[in-house]
Amino acid sequence: MHLDTPLVYVKGVGPYRAEMLEAKGLVTVNDLLHYPPFRYEDRSNLKTIQELAPGEMATVVVEVREVRMPKLGRKNVGLFEARFGDGSRLSLLGKWFHGGYLANVLLEGARVSIYGKVEFDPYKGDLFMMHPEFELLSADDEDGDAALHTGRVVPIYEAAGKVSPKLMRILTHRVLETIGPLEDVLPVALRERLKLVDRTTAVREIHFPSQDADLRLLNSFRSPAHIRMIVEEFFWLECGLELKRSKAKLEQGIGFALNEQVREKIKAMLPFKPTGAQKRVLGEIAKDMAEPHPMNRLVQGDVGSGKTLVAAEAAIIAIENGYQVAVLAPTEILAMQHYAYFKNLFEKLGYVVVPLAGSFKAKEKERIRGYVEQGLAHIVVGTHAILEQGVQFRNLGLAIVDEQHRFGVMQRLKLMEKGAVKPDVLVMTATPIPRTLALTMYGDLDTSVIDELPPGRKPVTTKHLPSSRIEEVWSFVAREIADGRQAYVVYPVIEESETAGLKAAEKSYLHLRDIVYPNYSVGLLHGKLPQADKEAVMAEFKAGRVHVLVATTVVEVGVDVPNATVMVIEQAERFGLAQLHQLRGRVGRGGNQSYCVLVTEKLSETGRERIRTMTESNDGFYIAEMDLRLRGPGEFFGTKQSGMPSLRFANIIRDRELLETARAEAVSFIQHPPDEDSLRRAVTYIRENWQRRYGLVQVG
Ligand code: ADP
Ligand code: MG
């Protein structure tokens, strides 16, 4: 058997099971070795029933003698009981609440290994276990090896379809028995420095820990074997990313000149004094832009930190050098806002700014495409309609992508193919994530952080109220309006197709308009409205003529109305933390004290955590951390689109320190390899092993 032998050829697999394994990404023998148990059970305390002592955790190998579902009076309480024997004088009871399904599993005469806490019922004189773990020993034909499942620290795998945890164990064991020592490509110096165990030992220990292994370390994924595999996984990932970055740095790009003319124009454009953080980040961008290689920079900054202004400065650098600029936003509303913002800033510089979005009439699109193609437009602002085929730039120099998390990596690449020479790319996101994670998630991007808000901002005060107290919220909003301010009332529409949120927004709109605020102007904004209506209501709100804007999640990103001081979020429990924080960022943009009111109905435990996080903090980085923690990395990073490979051993949050270590090692290894040969070996290894299994990290 080889590492790349398809699992279908392993005894006991066959085409049916192979398919189920494949659904879990398990295709080859090597994949199976990279499918670690998610926990371990100490079944080394193997006893006979006679030897059992109340209070201890123990494993016994027994036979099912009798099963029943006892009733309490005349009521069936769903308790399932099995009496087990092993030839000794005593018997042992296993009890399961809601155990009805076991009637088809624990058949009389079946041999099972059961593991659990031994208890004693002095009234009935019974030894018993509540909800013990068990494994059928005789049911599987392939099995014959009870020693694999009992009398040792036993690995527990996640099932793959109908391939049970136990069969996983059998298959993995079978594979490990026939496979020779594993090649260890990890640089020797690294192994020695971090005192890592060798690969063969690590893989064997992870699946079948030796007798003296520390159960606690195993179950916290901190055994020497785990550490070795986690570091390895991170190391190759980071090497791949570093190779990609260093390669990109050598590519031919545009070197923009930073001359007096550029400085003059920037000065003429600036509506206010940039903050220190804005200046620093512009410096980092300008330095990248001056290099004759494509820039790939991510700017992270909390909502309202002034990312757009920095983007505008970068655009001036490109335009003054005779290039065009594309600005991409995830939604049409945001795109049109950016359009207005850039148009306003650039009008006095004499730049031609044009909008482009999917909803434009074909004729309109064609006209604008023409301007872009002929180089008559300096800057085009729009949605991904810009990425569509048919839009040709005369000379695209800079692409600005707002709100990265909505755009896939693929789209970014598509954008870069537009120009003859690769344009510089600037990505802006308001979903800050911890630095190391950013370096990994956006692996091929350099990052800048705007960690300062424009002066005079007062932190938004956040309150949480149950929906039963909504009237208090409406009176509060009325007082703010009387003071000349404006308010948002937002309803969740999580999925595009969802109509419940839309209906709720419409209903609330009518209620507020006709009953609560008959003397004020109430507007309605949602994604299903015709574009012209959306624009009209936004314009009215911006002009202060609409006092309360009832909206679905369309206002989530980017809306900028400094006079709005209240953000009421209905059914706040349905929003994720990042979204809540984004929404809150819509207020607190002017000099007045602003408020965010989170109105909730039923709260789950994590829902409560989310609300608490919001009421106690305004710090986007802290909130992102909590978000990551509450949701776990898989969901936080979203689908494959995020470009995050699915790791087998490592967990980007749990193992963050190991990630830092591995990253530092990888960077220094790629930049200063000990010798050409080890670098070549590493690159080959990544190409052959990593690319297929983890996808996405293409090393060229
Ligand atoms: P972001 O995109 O980071 O959420 P914006 O670029 O939309 O933030 O800026 C938020 C608000 O702050 C806008 O009204 C913008 O005009 C204003 N602003 C940006 N930079 C400054 C600054 N240096 N001083 C004062 N106001 C600023
Ligand atoms: Mg913005």
Side-chain angles (χ1 to χ4, degrees):
M1 220 183 286
H2 296 285
L3 285 177
D4 44 13
T5 303
L7 285 170
V8 70
Y9 299 125
V10 174
K11 181 169 162 266
V13 178
Y16 178 64
R17 286 175 174 155
E19 212 169 286
M20 290 184 289
L21 291 167
E22 187 167 352
K24 280 253 177 195
L26 306 175
V27 180
T28 65
V29 160
N30 200 25
D31 293 338
L32 195 64
L33 295 181
H34 284 81
Y35 189 74
F38 70 94
R39 75 185 170 86
Y40 300 84
E41 222 166 77
D42 187 357
R43 299 183 187 168
S44 54
N45 191 14
L46 185 61
K47 299 215 160 159
T48 63
I49 296 178
Q50 194 145 350
E51 293 165 340
L52 293 177
E56 71 175 342
M57 302 294 294
T59 304
V60 280
V61 173
V62 292
E63 198 182 287
V64 181
R65 290 281 153 79
E66 189 190 353
V67 297
R68 62 190 204 113
M69 303 248 334
K71 292 193 165 134
L72 213 71
R74 256 195 274 141
K75 244 176 71 193
N76 188 337
V77 290
L79 180 69
F80 179 88
E81 281 187 5
R83 187 168 293 278
F84 301 107
D86 67 352
S88 53
R89 202 161 35 82
L90 295 170
S91 67
L92 172 72
L93 269 182
K95 303 187 191 193
W96 289 266
F97 281 107
H98 306 293
Y101 67 98
L102 291 172
N104 300 319
V105 182
L106 290 173
L107 303 174
E108 280 173 30
R111 239 162 58 81
V112 286
S113 147
I114 63 174
Y115 166 78
K117 185 172 179 196
V118 182
E119 295 182 70
F120 182 66
D121 178 348
Y123 300 103
K124 294 193 174 148
D126 277 333
L127 278 174
F128 67 97
M129 289 182 180
M130 283 309 296
H131 291 270
E133 297 281 335
F134 70 88
E135 253 177 26
L136 294 170
L137 294 182
S138 46
D140 267 304
D141 291 338
E142 295 98 332
D143 182 37
D145 195 1
L148 204 55
H149 312 298
T150 54
R152 57 153 66 219
V153 172
V154 175
I156 314 286
Y157 298 89
E158 222 172 86
K162 291 207 171 99
V163 183
S164 68
K166 184 180 159 213
L167 184 53
M168 282 287 185
R169 187 181 310 137
I170 293 168
L171 296 175
T172 309
H173 190 256
R174 203 160 275 167
V175 161
L176 279 171
E177 278 204 316
T178 54
I179 215 101
L182 303 167
E183 194 191 8
D184 198 343
V185 188
L186 218 50
V188 179
L190 168 69
R191 257 147 59 193
E192 283 172 356
R193 196 161 35 245
L194 301 182
K195 301 196 173 58
L196 302 176
V197 297
D198 70 276
R199 191 157 211 279
T200 309
T201 310
V203 169
R204 287 180 184 277
E205 282 288 311
I206 280 199
H207 292 290
F208 294 96
S210 42
Q211 283 309 341
D212 57 354
D214 183 328
L215 192 70
R216 233 193 39 232
L217 290 183
L218 284 169
N219 273 321
S220 55
F221 306 93
R222 278 297 171 275
S223 73
H226 281 98
I227 289 178
R228 147 79 208 211
M229 295 311 286
I230 292 168
V231 168
E232 172 179 324
E233 204 162 44
F234 280 148
F235 181 77
W236 295 127
L237 168 67
E238 295 294 341
C239 278
L241 293 170
E242 187 58 25
L243 281 167
K244 204 171 161 190
R245 278 151 59 93
S246 48
K247 204 176 139 227
K249 293 221 157 77
L250 297 176
E251 236 167 333
Q252 185 59 45
I254 308 160
F256 294 95
L258 292 173
N259 47 33
E260 204 44 44
Q261 182 190 331
V262 171
R263 282 189 197 97
E264 285 299 316
K265 288 274 184 177
I266 289 180
K267 221 186 272 166
M269 176 275 290
L270 282 176
F272 17 61
K273 205 166 151 285
T275 62
Q278 282 172 321
K279 276 193 208 145
R280 188 191 70 242
V281 170
L282 179 68
E284 289 164 3
I285 294 168
K287 192 156 162 274
D288 277 5
M289 289 184 75
E291 299 277 339
H293 308 294
M295 165 171 77
N296 277 300
R297 185 165 286 277
L298 173 76
V299 174
Q300 297 196 67
D302 216 338
V303 270
S305 61
K307 293 182 291 293
T308 323
L309 193 70
V310 174
E313 294 176 304
I316 292 177
I317 298 176
I319 294 168
E320 287 306 312
N321 277 269
Y323 286 90
Q324 290 170 297
V325 176
V327 179
L328 272 96
T331 65
E332 199 150 329
I333 288 222
L334 181 57
M336 291 312 116
Q337 290 232 345
H338 275 333
Y339 166 66
Y341 186 92
F342 281 102
K343 192 159 173 285
N344 178 41
L345 284 179
F346 288 166
E347 211 139 53
K348 49 187 180 262
L349 304 185
Y351 294 167
V352 178
V353 187
V354 295
L356 187 60
S359 75
F360 286 21
K361 293 206 178 67
K363 246 193 167 157
E364 182 72 1
K365 276 191 209 164
E366 196 164 324
R367 194 168 57 84
I368 288 169
R369 269 205 294 266
Y371 293 164
V372 175
E373 202 167 323
Q374 292 155 42
L376 294 172
H378 293 106
I379 166 166
V380 52
V381 186
T383 58
H384 51 253
I386 297 181
L387 295 172
E388 274 162 25
Q389 305 269 307
V391 182
Q392 292 294 335
F393 287 84
R394 204 168 87 96
N395 57 353
L396 180 63
L398 172 68
I400 296 165
V401 183
D402 194 11
E403 306 301 349
Q404 147 77 16
H405 59 296
R406 296 259 181 127
F407 279 99
V409 172
M410 295 317 291
Q411 279 172 311
R412 232 170 57 217
L413 296 178
K414 214 164 154 191
L415 186 71
M416 301 207 286
E417 284 161 14
K418 285 279 167 199
V421 188
K422 278 201 170 173
D424 282 2
V425 176
L426 186 63
V427 179
M428 303 188 288
T429 177
T431 311
I433 53 175
R435 188 178 148 76
T436 327
L437 299 190
L439 286 172
T440 300
M441 178 178 175
Y442 306 121
D444 49 341
L445 300 177
D446 296 303
T447 54
S448 294
V449 182
I450 305 185
D451 49 6
E452 182 185 347
L453 293 179
R457 292 281 169 81
K458 297 195 186 83
V460 177
T461 302
T462 304
K463 287 263 183 280
H464 169 217
L465 283 180
S467 56
S468 56
R469 292 174 60 186
I470 193 73
E471 292 305 325
E472 295 171 43
V473 179
W474 299 146
S475 342
F476 176 73
V477 169
R479 284 199 296 279
E480 285 290 303
I481 301 175
D483 274 351
R485 313 279 165 259
Q486 293 162 278
Y488 297 95
V489 179
V490 177
Y491 285 83
V493 173
I494 311 291
E495 304 222 339
E496 204 75 59
S497 59
E498 192 182 65
T499 54
L502 202 64
K503 287 213 185 94
E506 272 166 353
K507 201 171 142 204
S508 164
Y509 161 68
L510 294 176
H511 177 71
L512 291 176
R513 185 190 69 181
D514 300 337
I515 304 193
V516 184
Y517 305 123
N519 300 323
Y520 293 126
S521 165
V522 180
L524 177 65
L525 179 65
H526 60 71
K528 297 253 157 73
L529 289 177
Q531 187 59 26
D533 293 11
K534 285 189 212 167
E535 274 168 33
V537 71
M538 269 318 296
E540 289 292 292
F541 190 61
K542 261 198 147 148
R545 286 191 292 271
V546 162
H547 303 107
V548 179
L549 183 64
V550 180
T552 58
T553 331
V554 288
V555 297
E556 184 192 337
V557 260
V559 178
D560 192 19
V561 179
N563 191 50
T565 53
V566 190
M567 169 61 69
V568 179
I569 305 177
E570 293 262 17
Q571 298 169 31
E573 71 277 2
R574 299 194 53 210
F575 287 100
L577 263 179
Q579 259 180 322
L580 289 173
H581 183 62
Q582 284 269 337
L583 284 170
R584 178 169 59 184
R586 299 307 119 213
V587 295
R589 296 187 154 229
N592 297 300
Q593 176 61 52
S594 292
Y595 306 88
C596 175
V597 188
L598 305 172
V599 182
T600 61
E601 277 152 34
K602 264 211 181 101
L603 273 180
S604 68
E605 203 164 303
T606 50
R608 195 174 299 281
E609 272 299 299
R610 285 201 296 273
I611 302 293
R612 211 177 45 116
T613 305
M614 286 295 293
T615 51
E616 76 188 14
S617 174
N618 270 303
D619 176 352
F621 278 87
Y622 172 76
I623 287 166
E625 286 260 2
M626 286 302 290
D627 198 19
L628 196 56
R629 222 171 274 162
L630 290 173
R631 286 198 296 168
E635 230 187 291
F636 183 90
F637 290 115
T639 56
K640 281 215 163 105
Q641 270 232 320
S642 70
M644 212 36 224
S646 51
L647 300 162
R648 301 279 190 222
F649 296 94
N651 174 309
I652 215 160
I653 302 174
R654 182 192 68 207
D655 307 324
R656 199 185 289 174
E657 286 118 73
L658 295 177
L659 174 59
E660 303 256 4
T661 307
R663 178 175 167 78
E665 291 283 349
V667 170
S668 99
F669 177 74
I670 297 298
Q671 286 176 2
H672 315 283
D675 54 88
E676 276 303 306
D677 194 48
S678 59
L679 180 63
R680 206 169 312 120
R681 248 158 60 99
V683 172
T684 311
Y685 182 80
I686 295 170
R687 232 181 245 152
E688 286 175 359
N689 294 273
W690 259 78
Q691 249 150 247
R692 187 185 64 78
R693 192 165 344 114
Y694 296 87
L696 292 156
V697 188
Q698 300 284 330
V699 189

